[in-house]
Every structure is written in structure tokens, then in C-alpha cells.
Amino acid sequence: MTVWLTRIIPDMRHPQARRDTTGDALGQGLHRRLMTLFPTNAGPDPRARFGVLFRAEDTPTGLHILLQSLYEPDLTALPDGYGTSRTRPLDTLLNALRPGLTIRHRCIANAVRKPGATTRDLYNLPAVVPLHGPAANSWWERQAEAAGLKPLSTDSHPLDAAGGRHGPRNNPSRKKVRHARTRFDGTAAIIDADLLRAKITEGIGRGKAYGCGLLTIAPARTPQ
């Protein structure tokens, strides 16, 4: 099974690229755009079928979109002039993973906890509560351990929430939803390479259709 990683650099002068990456569209709207790169009629959950995970990153050269999938995307389906794009397989990287290897990682994730029913009713809390600071770091470290990693360093940075609406697109009364986002960067040692490969493919946490959950890794540089 090949895992594909695609980098799209949208041209913000293009009206559709600008629309897909502005405000709430950066979550659900961008997801809809990326799903046009895959076959239609793929069942009730095409995102899961094709293993689609994505995130948008601000870089020194502008916004970049990272798209991971288990099916090679058809980049010709992007509108003409949308931007530049390139796809490559991750086989070499994933096959090289082994216990003891130190890696750098990044993940934009929906770090939340679910309050108990009694506490939620008592304090009128939402169904899920976003985590920040040390609580977010602890959440990430638990996720990393569940992915076969031993965390060595963790740095978290809160981002704007990703938004959209829940329900059929032709329903004008669809409920608006917001997914808190936190970017986690750090280093970790691999404990279980098979588990890590599975989690890279599966994604981390909730909100995957809103640009959360994509875990990217690279070998850590050895100090000279």
C-alpha cells in the first residue's frame, strides 16, 4: 500500500484558490476542493476510503496545503491557474522507520477533552472542551505514545479554529461547527514502527475533514 503526499501552493490571485483558503473555507471548503481530486461514487465516507488527510500551513513563501492519501490524487482536476502542485510517494520514508530512530514531527490537531455528563450539565459546558498550554501538550504526548512514539520535546501553538456546517449541503438550516486547532511540533523516539505507520495513515484525533490530524515526520538531524 502506497501512501502519497501532495504539496499544493495556491496562487492567491486565483479567485477559487482564495475562496478555498480564506476564513471558514480553510476547513470544510478546502476539504471539498481536495476531494474533487479523487474518484466519485466512493461510498458514504470517501475521505476514509481514500485515507485523505490534509492541513494548511503558513510558510515564509505563503500558504501551502499538504494532502496525504492512499490513492494518488488527480491534480489535473484542480482549476487552471489554481497554483503549483507536486505528489510523491512516502514509501521510502515509511519503510525506513525503525525502533530507536529519532524523528521530528508536526501535526495540526483538534486537542479536546469530553467532560463527564454530570460536570457538563452542572457548568453548562460544551460537549468537547478545547485544551491549551500544558493540558494540550499532555494530550499530544498521550497521542504520540499511542502512535508508538516516546516524546522527547513538545511545543504547541494555538491556531484559529476551522469551521463549516454539519448536515446535507442543500439544507439551509445546517448547524455551524467549529473545530479548535493546535499545531504541535517536537521530537520523539520511535518505539513501535508498525504502530507509527498505522497512525500516520489513520491520522490523529478528531476533525479530519476540517484539516486536523495529519502527522508528518522527518528524521531528526544528528548534532555534529
Side-chain angles (χ1 to χ4, degrees):
M1 177 181 64
T2 296
V3 179
W4 301 89
L5 184 67
T6 301
R7 183 181 295 271
I8 301 172
I9 305 176
D11 185 341
M12 302 307 287
R13 296 170 297 182
H14 192 285
Q16 293 183 66
R18 190 166 57 250
R19 183 191 64 195
D20 292 343
T21 56
T22 303
D24 281 354
L26 194 56
Q28 196 174 50
L30 181 56
H31 172 256
R32 284 197 294 267
R33 171 67 64 192
L34 296 177
M35 292 308 300
T36 67
L37 309 183
F38 300 93
T40 57
N41 302 320
D45 192 351
R47 189 211 64 77
R49 176 173 178 179
F50 297 125
V52 173
L53 299 166
F54 72 95
R55 72 169 180 250
E57 287 190 340
D58 288 317
T59 78
T61 59
L63 186 72
H64 288 200
I65 300 164
L66 290 182
L67 165 66
Q68 180 182 289
S69 59
L70 301 178
Y71 186 99
E72 186 174 5
D74 177 12
L75 299 179
T76 65
L78 288 171
D80 291 342
Y82 191 89
T84 61
S85 55
R86 177 175 177 267
T87 296
R88 63 184 177 91
L90 292 180
D91 297 21
T92 300
L93 172 65
L94 297 181
N95 291 339
L97 300 180
R98 65 183 188 279
L101 184 69
T102 300
I103 60 167
R104 294 179 289 113
H105 58 71
R106 171 170 291 179
C107 184
I108 292 178
N110 178 226
V112 297
R113 68 178 177 87
K114 294 183 178 181
T118 301
T119 303
R120 186 165 65 247
D121 292 340
L122 182 62
Y123 295 101
N124 195 29
L125 295 174
V128 292
V129 177
L131 302 175
H132 304 284
N137 287 353
S138 295
W139 179 91
W140 171 255
E141 288 165 3
R142 292 192 298 272
Q143 301 300 315
E145 290 169 358
L149 295 172
K150 177 183 178 182
L152 301 175
S153 67
T154 301
D155 180 51
S156 61
H157 180 72
L159 303 174
D160 290 341
R165 292 187 178 275
H166 182 72
R169 293 182 64 183
N170 59 358
N171 183 353
S173 61
R174 290 183 301 163
K175 181 181 179 182
K176 190 171 184 179
V177 295
R178 305 285 290 174
H179 288 270
R181 300 186 305 152
T182 302
R183 192 185 76 195
F184 296 96
D185 295 283
T187 58
I190 298 176
I191 303 300
D192 186 325
D194 290 336
L195 186 56
L196 176 57
R197 278 187 282 265
K199 273 296 182 180
I200 288 173
T201 303
E202 174 188 334
I204 303 290
R206 302 158 53 96
K208 296 182 180 70
Y210 295 82
C212 299
L214 172 60
L215 170 62
T216 54
I217 64 171
R221 293 180 179 177
T222 302
Q224 300 295 318

